[in-house]
Amino acid sequence: MELFIHQVLAGLATGGIYACIALAIVMIYQAIHHLNLAQGEMAMFSTFVAWQLIEWGMPYWAAFVLTLVLSFAAGVAIERIVFRPLHNAPVLSHIVVFIALFSIFNSAAGFIWDFTIKSFPSPFGSQPLFEGAPVSAHDTGMFGVTFVLLILLFLFFRFTRVGLAMRAAAVNPESARLVGIRVGWMVALGWGMAAAIGAVAGMLIAPVVFLEPNMMLSILLYGFAGAVVGGLTSPAGAVVGGFIVGVVENLAGSFIPYIGQELKLTIALALIVAVLMVRPSGLFGSRLVSRV
Amino acid sequence: MTAAQTRAASGEALLRVRGLNAFYGRIQALFDIDFDIAPGCVTTLLGANGAGKTTTLRALCGMIPTKGDIELDGVNIGGRATEDIVSLGVAHVPEGRGTFIGVTVEENLRLGAMTRRDRREISADIERMYQLFPRLAERRAQQAQTLSGGEQQMLAISRALMLRPKLMLLDEPSFGLAPLIIEELFETLSRLKTDEGISMLIVEQNAALALEIADHAYLIETGRVVMSGPADEIGRDESIRRAYLGY
């Protein structure tokens, strides 16, 4: 029983990270209707930037905030420079560009900071939360930060003018233009926010998986799984999906024989396949009906 | 006397269109269209399916590439971005109503006022819309896509009014609605015209209905204006009656 509780809590902590990545993916999916395959690599690159800032002697939280700002600006720039000219291009062009971005970020990080594994500091420390606690201080902090971030995003989309404009631009771009919303900038804003959310996920998970250019590969897959489980059309669903994937992955890894730590990644893929077979639009997604 | 009425008295047009050409890709859809909309008046575009009525509305809002002059209050808006034209006071109620799904009725109204900054006035206008369409008030917290067709059309019109437009463009407001609802809707439109002096350009399949509310009418055939005049005159015209009114 103790192992079970321990694994659920640890699953919720990593689930927060998957939820962030899933949310970033869904935000971009809602805006441009394509899956951003480079989301993980963008987050990894942001994490390296944070590491560099800390190496240069900047305090952790200052580096954290500055990295968010830089990632946001980079996300906006990527949309403006790379994707805006492409917005009417077919799916395959998008996929090629996503793969290109993926390898550019991956190679650039390896080129600048090399491929050796680095440790990344945790602002919370790796000791147990308290004497005999089932979770570490870092896991708790990770859960806390992602939870606060998700709440803030919810409030932003629900109660602010810009949040409402972004939702409108995503569901009906033509109608959004007709009420005077600058849809192009809303898409760019979505990219910036997705990049910043990814950066949070990268910086929080780096102390656990260690910093290196391929660190986000499996996390991106879990994020995709979370997004698919929750439904690509539902940001809230993606968040719940991320948490579900985190818990299921951890429980399966410790309770199903033969799976263990090495085969855990298979769970994510199995979840994607299972959900697509039973409920293609995800647990909370709505089916897209197009009128002819 | 309001500013609009002063201009009307001096014979100045709110919207002045000269030599308007519009294109879908390489296909030309409108050919040298000229027309005027007087302030405070309802103007209607009549014509068969595919004549270019919807295209004209889309051209006015910069939703398709155009050539020619479009002057709103003396400002040339031809070739400008849709968002800029909207912020100059042109509200477009599009074909199919343009409802924002996954967004509540009240948020749809707030979206209509996106270009405005006067928070308190916006809230007052929302209440005004609820008085105009009490059915929307009952459903204010409901997701917009759960509304009936008639309610969605009311929502689309109120969303357009939230802009406090100089000119409202309505594309087939009666489309897909029950006769009783259509009657109610057009009563509201004519009330908006007489009470608030809102200038409108209405495109309608139902020509008889449109001529009833309109002051002025233009007849479009294959992308060209073929006839124009005061609405009651156009309505009496023998050939028009036979072709578009069916009696």
Side-chain angles (χ1 to χ4, degrees):
Chain A
M1 192 60 203
E2 203 173 295
L3 180 67
F4 179 80
I5 292 172
H6 175 82
Q7 291 301 332
V8 168
L9 291 176
L12 284 176
T14 42
I17 301 298
Y18 305 155
C20 287
I21 295 291
L23 181 64
I25 289 166
V26 164
M27 278 178 64
I28 290 183
Y29 181 79
Q30 294 246 295
I32 66 171
H33 300 286
H34 295 289
L35 284 182
N36 181 7
L37 302 174
Q39 195 76 58
E41 301 312 281
M42 286 163 59
M44 171 276 295
F45 202 87
S46 298
T47 311
F48 264 108
V49 170
W51 178 82
Q52 186 66 71
L53 293 172
I54 293 169
E55 281 291 292
W56 282 339
M58 197 179 264
Y60 181 90
W61 289 110
F64 185 93
V65 171
L66 185 56
T67 302
L68 288 193
V69 174
L70 292 173
S71 304
F72 179 88
V76 171
I78 289 173
E79 195 279 334
R80 289 280 104 173
I81 297 165
V82 183
F83 285 95
R84 193 175 138 82
L86 274 184
H87 76 282
N88 281 328
V91 184
L92 271 180
S93 317
H94 275 91
I95 292 180
V96 169
V97 173
F98 283 133
I99 293 174
L101 277 179
F102 184 100
S103 57
I104 288 170
F105 279 121
N106 193 286
S107 317
F111 179 74
I112 301 171
W113 292 290
D114 74 53
F115 286 88
T116 52
I117 294 173
K118 295 172 177 60
S119 69
F120 191 88
S122 162
F124 311 106
S126 53
Q127 75 286 2
L129 185 57
F130 50 87
E131 195 71 37
V135 286
S136 71
H138 181 76
D139 277 358
T140 316
M142 190 156 85
F143 181 80
V145 171
T146 51
F147 196 72
V148 168
L149 175 71
L150 295 171
I151 298 278
L152 286 177
L153 283 167
F154 170 78
L155 295 176
F156 170 78
F157 281 112
R158 186 79 182 70
F159 294 110
T160 69
R161 196 181 142 89
V162 178
L164 179 59
M166 283 179 75
R167 278 158 62 204
V171 297
N172 197 338
E174 180 161 282
S175 232
R177 273 190 200 97
L178 286 178
V179 294
I181 295 169
R182 298 192 186 276
V183 174
W185 278 108
M186 293 302 135
V187 174
L189 196 55
W191 270 86
M193 288 174 66
I197 295 167
V200 171
M203 287 186 279
L204 288 175
I205 200 70
V208 182
V209 299
F210 297 105
L211 181 62
E212 49 106 6
N214 297 316
M215 65 179 265
M216 291 303 279
L217 203 61
S218 59
I219 292 159
L220 179 68
L221 273 178
Y222 288 125
F224 271 140
V228 171
V229 167
L232 281 167
T233 51
S234 160
V239 168
V240 175
F243 281 111
I244 291 176
V245 169
V247 172
V248 168
E249 167 222 27
N250 248 351
L251 290 181
S254 13
F255 288 102
I256 304 178
Y258 303 116
I259 287 192
Q261 295 306 306
E262 277 70 37
L263 272 175
K264 265 185 4 182
L265 195 54
T266 325
I267 306 283
L269 302 169
L271 261 177
I272 293 180
V273 173
V275 168
L276 287 179
M277 274 166 52
V278 180
R279 229 186 113 79
S281 51
L283 297 178
F284 304 93
S286 52
R287 237 185 26 213
L288 274 186
V289 185
S290 53
R291 251 175 39 174
V292 235
Chain B
M1 217 187 236
T2 67
Q5 282 164 331
T6 321
R7 269 202 315 273
S10 69
E12 212 177 298
L14 172 69
L15 188 82
R16 191 168 166 277
V17 177
R18 290 294 176 271
L20 179 65
N21 292 279
F23 308 84
Y24 286 111
R26 255 177 301 175
I27 298 164
Q28 185 164 4
L30 298 181
F31 299 86
D32 285 321
I33 287 200
D34 295 344
F35 67 94
D36 290 311
I37 294 176
C41 288
V42 173
T43 307
T44 180
L45 297 180
L46 304 176
N49 272 339
K53 306 184 300 285
T54 295
T55 305
T56 307
L57 294 194
R58 293 174 66 87
L60 294 181
C61 281
M63 294 163 82
I64 49 170
T66 60
K67 266 189 226 147
D69 289 337
I70 308 170
E71 269 179 26
L72 178 76
D73 254 348
V75 180
N76 195 357
I77 58 169
R80 290 224 202 164
T82 305
E83 302 92 307
D84 296 329
I85 295 171
V86 172
S87 57
L88 286 171
V90 178
H92 188 153
V93 180
E95 205 177 14
R97 298 156 200 148
T99 307
F100 293 102
I101 60 168
V103 170
T104 66
V105 168
E106 184 138 337
E107 285 170 332
N108 262 274
L109 294 178
R110 289 202 177 278
L111 281 165
M114 251 317 149
T115 54
R116 293 169 50 187
R117 297 276 159 194
D118 42 346
R119 273 164 174 253
R120 205 172 300 164
E121 293 279 295
I122 290 173
S123 301
D125 276 3
I126 289 180
E127 290 311 314
R128 221 161 50 86
M129 293 307 141
Y130 289 149
Q131 275 164 23
L132 201 60
F133 298 107
R135 216 125 25 113
L136 294 182
E138 291 165 27
R139 309 200 186 290
R140 59 170 80 190
Q142 218 165 301
Q143 300 271 301
Q145 72 272 21
T146 63
L147 269 64
S148 72
E151 289 162 348
Q152 285 194 34
Q153 189 65 59
M154 293 171 196
L155 180 60
I157 291 171
S158 345
R159 196 175 59 230
L161 289 172
M162 287 299 296
L163 181 73
R164 295 208 174 159
K166 285 182 190 163
L167 174 64
M168 186 155 81
L169 311 177
L170 294 130
D171 198 347
E172 302 276 1
S174 77
F175 186 80
L177 302 183
L180 223 67
I181 308 282
I182 296 178
E183 204 175 301
E184 198 182 316
L185 197 67
F186 272 76
E187 261 167 37
T188 311
L189 288 180
S190 71
R191 219 169 47 228
L192 284 171
K193 173 191 161 188
T194 46
D195 297 356
E196 313 207 9
I198 293 178
S199 318
M200 295 180 232
L201 176 61
I202 303 182
V203 156
E204 219 358 296
Q205 282 281 312
N206 189 336
L209 200 61
L211 286 170
E212 225 170 89
I213 182 178
D215 302 291
H216 213 84
Y218 288 85
L219 180 64
I220 297 184
E221 268 173 22
T222 58
R224 294 173 180 84
V225 173
V226 293
M227 190 188 240
S228 70
D232 45 358
E233 236 169 71
I234 296 272
R236 278 197 303 271
D237 188 278
E238 184 80 23
S239 59
I240 294 221
R241 270 194 2 217
R242 222 175 302 131
Y244 298 102
L245 300 173
Y247 56 86

